[in-house]
Amino acid sequence: MVDNSLSLRSRIEELKREKNAVILAHYYTMPEVQEIADFLGDSLALSVKAQDIDADIILFAGVHFMAETAKVLCPHKKVLIPCPEAGCSLAESCDAAEFAEFKKRYPDHKVVSYVNTTVGVKALTDVCCTSSNALQVVESIPADQPIIFAPDRNLGGYIKKLTGCENMVLWNGACHVHEEFSLEKLLQLKTEHPAAKVVVHPECRAYIIEVADFVGSTAAILDYCGRSDAQEFIVVTESGILSEMQKRYPAKTFIPAPPDDETCGCNNCKYMKMVTLENICSCLENEAPEILLDEPTRQAAERSIKNMIAIK
Ligand code: 13P
């Protein structure tokens, strides 16, 4: 029997060489997709990486807003997205026209938007943030400056609590994966594994964040699991990260936290899992679908991303 995935992988490698293409992938994609990536990272690392990639084509193995972000930063490169239907519940919760109306109600507010937004919302934003740098971004703004934080009410609420920033208005959006974790089941797992550390992504609800030993982005969680003396971790984020955890720290044990309804498989981002070796291969063959952006919108969005990258 022919190993289909082996031949797909070698065809993808061949196409990458032939077309001078690189593949960027997020930790939430499927393990076989992560394996063929040239760069694997969290949202911040991938945005920064996109800027200095020396290639003609960037194929983004991730969801739509991530590929859009790469195109915003690399307008002269061809940016491909293998599955344009791979959306994001957060980005979809914040329509640019509705956001523009919302913004009018707070004319003296600065807008901080999570990178999980469409290019249209980024164009209405003063400074973007990711889960890695949201705290630094908000702290870089004078304390008396009112802020709109969009679109994730959980990340916004967490940052509001950390900074004590009272002048922060939150857009009411959430991630369908991170909202689903069950506190009851998490507490049960903690009882069964008393030595385990609980690592949580800040897109989770406040009552889940409260029981965390560590809160951070996917990259920060990976680092924490490496430097912690603990041998066991209860992982409260999208389950795609588990393959990289096991690869980096094979002697440690990682236990995925269950969602409320375990039959729904919703600690899996269905959008990230829409990226496959098959659609990556055909996307490289056809050099399509490609991300194309309206130039004024791109330029406005670029300012907000560059403002973020400039904050150290
Ligand atoms: P990070 O990559 O910043 O951890 O965020 C994950 C995420 O929400 C992807 O949609």
Side-chain angles (χ1 to χ4, degrees):
M1 200 176 88
V2 182
D3 180 345
N4 192 33
S5 98
L6 189 65
S7 64
L8 271 173
R9 284 201 305 267
S10 53
R11 181 67 188 133
I12 291 170
E13 291 304 337
E14 194 174 78
L15 286 164
K16 283 201 294 192
R17 280 192 302 276
E18 222 172 80
K19 296 179 184 252
N20 189 23
V22 295
I23 299 182
L24 301 185
H26 191 274
Y27 292 122
Y28 292 164
T29 52
M30 293 196 287
E32 63 270 30
V33 170
Q34 298 187 28
E35 271 161 31
I36 47 106
D38 299 286
F39 301 101
L40 182 63
D42 71 349
S43 307
L44 178 62
L46 293 172
S47 311
V48 173
K49 188 76 214 170
Q51 283 192 118
D52 48 46
I53 275 179
D54 181 20
D56 299 316
I57 295 180
I58 296 174
L59 181 142
F60 215 114
V63 294
H64 196 270
F65 77 82
M66 296 182 168
E68 256 188 4
T69 305
K71 182 68 183 177
V72 168
L73 293 168
C74 312
H76 305 300
K77 294 206 166 96
K78 189 174 264 190
V79 177
L80 302 176
I81 172 130
C83 184
E85 299 77 31
C88 165
S89 57
L90 267 169
E92 277 151 27
S93 76
C94 191
D95 170 73
E98 280 173 35
F99 189 64
E101 287 306 310
F102 180 78
K103 219 182 125 169
K104 280 188 199 150
R105 288 167 34 202
Y106 304 99
D108 56 346
H109 285 48
K110 281 233 181 283
V111 178
V112 177
S113 292
Y114 199 24
V115 72
N116 302 40
T117 45
T118 61
V119 69
V121 171
K122 288 189 180 75
L124 296 166
T125 293
D126 294 294
V127 50
C128 270
C129 71
T130 74
S131 57
S132 304
N133 63 12
L135 181 62
Q136 286 118 291
V137 168
V138 170
E139 282 179 343
S140 74
I141 296 171
D144 57 352
Q145 168 63 57
I147 293 173
I148 295 175
F149 189 97
D152 188 349
R153 60 174 177 248
N154 293 323
L155 176 63
Y158 174 62
I159 299 298
K160 194 167 172 174
K161 193 168 166 201
L162 287 183
T163 55
C165 174
E166 285 304 322
N167 291 336
M168 195 189 284
V169 181
L170 306 180
W171 179 268
N172 193 18
C175 163
H176 72 291
V177 176
H178 289 100
E179 280 244 304
E180 293 303 321
F181 290 105
S182 154
L183 179 60
E184 202 189 325
K185 290 178 182 164
L186 176 57
L187 294 176
Q188 177 62 33
L189 267 181
K190 260 170 77 82
T191 317
E192 290 161 17
H193 303 270
K197 296 285 183 204
V198 177
V199 293
V200 172
H201 196 280
E203 287 176 22
C204 292
R205 293 180 194 260
Y207 56 72
I208 298 281
I209 289 180
E210 253 165 47
V211 299
D213 293 293
F214 180 79
V215 182
S217 73
T218 46
I221 289 176
L222 278 161
D223 288 348
Y224 171 81
C225 293
R227 52 172 209 275
S228 166
D229 292 335
Q231 294 305 306
E232 264 188 322
F233 300 86
I234 300 171
V235 181
V236 198
T237 186
E238 210 274 351
S239 57
I241 196 175
L242 293 164
S243 63
E244 182 65 14
M245 286 176 156
Q246 269 141 12
K247 195 162 128 200
R248 285 198 202 180
Y249 317 119
K252 297 192 174 188
T253 305
F254 300 99
I255 306 150
D260 244 336
D261 171 5
E262 286 179 56
T263 58
C264 75
C266 33
N267 60 345
N268 258 307
C269 173
K270 63 177 183 204
Y271 298 118
M272 290 282 189
K273 305 315 184 240
M274 286 162 83
V275 183
T276 62
L277 292 181
E278 283 83 0
N279 57 31
I280 288 176
C281 191
S282 89
C283 183
L284 277 176
E285 296 261 16
N286 302 316
E287 299 189 22
E290 181 184 357
I291 301 279
L292 296 170
L293 301 174
D294 152 74
E295 186 54 16
T297 312
R298 188 203 68 75
Q299 282 180 16
E302 184 179 31
R303 258 193 314 277
S304 68
I305 303 172
K306 291 216 160 150
N307 286 343
M308 166 184 86
I309 292 173
I311 297 167
K312 294 287 172 227

